[in-house]
């Protein structure tokens, strides 16, 4: 989570519709793609989490009478108004234009996000819908606790404005359901988070490589990215490019020398009778040689 001192501008991003309308010749390496943008959102967060993080730059001054509870020792929930939300393919941006300050949040630090129904402290009688987010915060270097610390907040977008339809398209708009703003925000964050998967730790990377090498599934290649060196005494690697040098069209060996073969494992070539057949065969033999008086 980093401070953001410059206001984001729509011209610095590529709209999602424009990005999807064209097929790039290669992977997208231009400006970030804007998946969602909403103004005048509300941010609901515990005051302790707000003051201990860069998110404190979004609030002008501590608000009074924002406690969500009667006990003085309970954590107080505060609401920050007038926050602009930018969901880009690069980072998740929160910006308060009244204070000319904001924060940028990398997606790998967003460990959880979900749609939530809640009542804000400044309007306890009204239930609203918002995007609940759990954000990992870096622990202090001297902290002995290995558990990851995190803060939680809920972003509440403004309700969708009512659009007056003309009589010509009134019937078409009646059948078309409007997607709630929170659902759009959730879909945008989900799409962008999928573009930034969690990095693999060094231990997982090393253990995975060692297991593959130990099992013989993977062998070390050459420095130029080619195939590994052939096994001592072999005729080299047989690939799709040089297969015609070793086999004819009918699959016969034509490379000269002894045709390579793989040893069969234990039990190969053994024919086993089905259950019951062996017992029936033994009974027939006994009946055949049995003497009768």
């Amino acid at each position: 989570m980093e401070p953001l001192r410059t206001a984001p501008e729509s011209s610095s991003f590529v709209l999602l519709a424009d990005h999807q309308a064209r097929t790039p010749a290669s992977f997208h390496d231009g400006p970030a793609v804007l998946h969602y943008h909403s103004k005048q959102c509300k941010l609901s967060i515990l005051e302790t989490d707000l003051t201990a993080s860069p998110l404190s730059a979004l609030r002008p001054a501590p608000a009074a009478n924002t406690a969500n509870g009667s006990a003085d020792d309970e954590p107080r929930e505060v609401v920050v108004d007038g926050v602009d939300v930018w969901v880009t393919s690069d980072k998740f941006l929160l910006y308060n234009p009244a204070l000319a300050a904001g924060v940028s949040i990398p997606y790998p630090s967003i460990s959880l996000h979900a749609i939530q129904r809640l009542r804000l402290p400044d309007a306890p009688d009204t239930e609203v819908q918002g995007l609940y987010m759990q954000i990992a915060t870096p622990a202090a270097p001297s902290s002995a606790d290995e558990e990851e610390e995190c803060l939680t907040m809920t972003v509440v977008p403004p309700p969708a404005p009512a659009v007056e339809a003309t009589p010509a398209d009134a019937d078409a708009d009646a059948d078309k359901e409007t997607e709630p703003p929170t659902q759009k925000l959730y879909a945008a964050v989900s799409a962008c988070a999928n573009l930034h998967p969690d990095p693999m730790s060094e231990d997982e990377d090393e253990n995975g490589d060692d297991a593959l090498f130990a099992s013989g599934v993977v062998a070390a290649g050459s420095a130029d990215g080619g195939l590994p060196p052939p096994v001592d005494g072999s005729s080299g690697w047989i690939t799709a490019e040089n297969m015609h040098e070793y086999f004819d069209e009918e699959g016969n060996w034509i490379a000269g020398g002894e045709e390579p073969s793989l040893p069969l494992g234990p039990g190969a070539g053994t024919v086993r009778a089905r259950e019951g057949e062996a017992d029936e065969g033994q009974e027939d033999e006994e009946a055949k040689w049995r003497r009768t008086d």
Side-chain angles (χ1 to χ4, degrees), residues 30-218:
V33 179
L34 181 60
H35 287 246
Y36 178 88
H37 175 219
S38 181
K39 298 181 179 180
Q40 297 298 318
C41 296
K42 292 186 176 183
L43 182 66
S44 177
I45 186 174
L46 293 178
E47 188 173 21
T48 54
D49 291 341
L50 180 65
T51 56
S53 67
L55 293 171
S56 58
L58 299 174
R59 186 174 66 161
N65 299 328
T66 57
N68 189 12
S70 57
D72 295 335
D73 56 348
E74 291 184 359
R76 295 199 308 168
E77 184 180 358
V78 296
V79 176
V80 181
D81 296 315
V83 178
D84 293 354
V85 177
W86 302 74
V87 183
T88 73
S89 58
D90 184 23
K91 292 182 179 180
F92 182 82
L93 308 179
L94 298 174
Y95 190 80
N96 191 335
L99 302 177
V103 294
S104 64
I105 304 174
Y107 289 103
S109 64
I110 303 177
S111 56
L112 177 66
H113 67 282
I115 296 178
Q116 178 189 24
R117 291 187 177 274
L118 71 159
R119 298 180 185 272
L120 298 176
D122 56 353
D125 298 333
T126 304
E127 187 180 61
V128 296
Q129 197 176 54
L131 182 66
Y132 172 86
M133 304 180 71
Q134 181 174 303
I135 302 175
T137 57
S142 59
S143 177
D145 190 3
E146 297 182 356
E147 293 185 1
E148 186 178 51
E149 298 182 359
C150 62
L151 60 86
T152 60
M153 66 178 186
T154 303
V155 179
V156 181
V163 179
E164 296 183 359
T166 60
D169 56 0
D171 296 338
D173 292 341
D175 298 335
K176 183 179 179 181
E177 296 183 359
T178 303
E179 188 177 13
T182 304
Q183 185 65 39
K184 294 181 180 179
L185 176 59
Y186 172 80
V189 174
S190 299
C192 294
N194 291 335
L195 301 176
H196 301 268
D198 295 335
M200 182 179 294
S201 63
E202 295 181 359
D203 295 338
E204 293 176 351
D205 193 6
E206 293 177 358
N207 294 337
D209 292 343
D210 293 342
L212 292 175
F213 280 110
S215 61
V217 176
V218 176

Side-chain angles (χ1 to χ4, degrees), residues 239-264:
T239 64
E241 288 76 11
N242 63 4
M243 184 178 293
H244 63 281
E245 301 177 2
Y246 296 90
F247 298 94
D248 59 12
E249 296 180 355
E250 298 180 356
N252 299 318
W253 179 260
I254 60 174
E258 184 179 358
E259 181 179 359
S261 61
L262 296 176
L264 298 178

